[in-house]
Amino acid sequence: MNTPREDGFYMPAEWAPHDGCWMIWPERTDNWRLGAKPAQAAFAAVASAIAQFEPVTMMVSARQWHAARTMLPARVRVVEVSSNDAWARDVGTSFVVNQAGELRGVDWPFNAWGGLQNGLYFPWDMDDAVAAKMLQIERAPRYRAPKIIEGGAIHVDGEGTVLVTEACLLAADRNPGITRPEMERVLKDYLGAAHVVWLGAGVPHDETGGHVDNLACFVRPGEVLLSWCDDPADPHYHVSREAETRLQAAHDANGRKLKVQHIPMPKAMFFQAEEAAGIDQTAYGMNRRAGERLAASYVNFYIANGAIIAPEFGVETDVEAKRVLAALFPDRAIIMIPGREILLGGGNIHCITQQQPKALNS
Ligand code: KQY
């Protein structure tokens, strides 16, 4: 089979118009505390907010289908799809389109962020089948990619540029022995891109190994928003500076220098004892502990048609984060949703959402 690039398909930027958004209902009790009920309420709040702007589909196991249907507004479509956890960004398809507006999807192999060596759980077989199921539901052709990549490990500007971190894309626990040129070939072939911008490390304590979607994102062609830390005692201080240095030296697929914007990192946040106590300890799960640092970031937001859906954490920097987003996206409503329950599961709003770009026949 050809690659998307050979067939004239590419991944549009997240700010391009959407036909909708896909999410997965959280339920595993070794990742989500108190039987996943607080996380379900948080996911329902995100789905309800996005559904004001575009159609939302929630993928739910047979066990939880009725519970989810009851907790979600009627305008959210609830379909039965099995999964191992709830990260639509990482296990869902990355949709691609062509100039005629036809829709297809890339199905990235998935190994729970590091396989049997460093992965967060085992098994991950149902997660790995989610992208194919989404594409079956949409009757859209599927490209199975040759290398393990999660959707949260890539950002695109829709004009040929991909933004990634070495920490994830060159990780031996995903694709042992892969070289940078080999990975660039896969990114270009499967995202229909022409140029890759490499950052180094991701946000410290990020259990994905350093997804770019927690560190930085394009806000428009030629402009990148970076999670920024001003405290030299915090490990993110050096990570954010190194990322800025690389971005300032980089150019995009069109030869443009990149403009770098900052958004503050929230103050250090940790798993509280009562939060960790609500999570089941299991043989093949995350085994979370009180006192572990959480990888909180405002960059982990979703761009919906007409809105930005971003996490807030109940801390001082929430106000500044909203101001920065409003200045960068003057034509979109800025909706902040409490993100702590999602953060306790290891990610945030961008990680739990997957946009479906507008297609011609929709
Ligand atoms: O960053 C993301 N795209 C996903 C976070 C996954 C965390 C798993 N516990």
Side-chain angles (χ1 to χ4, degrees), residues 48-88:
S48 305
I50 297 173
Q52 293 175 57
F53 300 93
E54 62 192 42
V56 175
T57 301
M58 186 68 76
M59 295 178 275
V60 188
S61 74
R63 242 185 340 267
Q64 276 288 313
W65 193 91
H66 285 284
R69 184 58 287 165
T70 310
M71 288 176 71
L72 290 162
R75 63 176 177 270
V76 172
R77 172 172 71 159
V78 180
V79 298
E80 188 182 315
V81 172
S82 326
S83 65
N84 299 102
D85 202 4
W87 306 98

Side-chain angles (χ1 to χ4, degrees), residues 23-26 36-52 56 58 67-76 78 309 337-338 341-342 349 352-353:
M23 297 178 64
I24 304 173
W25 191 244
K37 281 298 156 210
Q40 290 171 0
F43 276 54
V46 171
S48 305
I50 297 173
Q52 293 175 57
V56 175
M58 186 68 76
R69 184 58 287 165
T70 310
M71 288 176 71
L72 290 162
R75 63 176 177 270
V76 172
V78 180
I309 315 295
I337 307 269
E341 288 298 337
I342 310 170
I349 292 173
I352 65 169
T353 49

Side-chain angles (χ1 to χ4, degrees), residues 310-331:
E312 64 182 10
F313 301 101
V315 296
E316 215 181 305
T317 40
D318 288 352
V319 175
E320 175 62 5
K322 188 169 186 183
R323 190 199 63 73
V324 170
L325 292 173
L328 291 173
F329 295 99
D331 301 332

Side-chain angles (χ1 to χ4, degrees), residues 239-260:
V239 171
S240 56
R241 270 152 192 77
E242 203 235 344
E244 182 175 64
T245 304
R246 288 192 186 216
L247 288 167
Q248 281 168 344
H251 61 85
D252 67 13
N254 288 304
R256 274 181 294 240
K257 297 292 288 175
L258 296 173
K259 186 168 175 188
V260 184

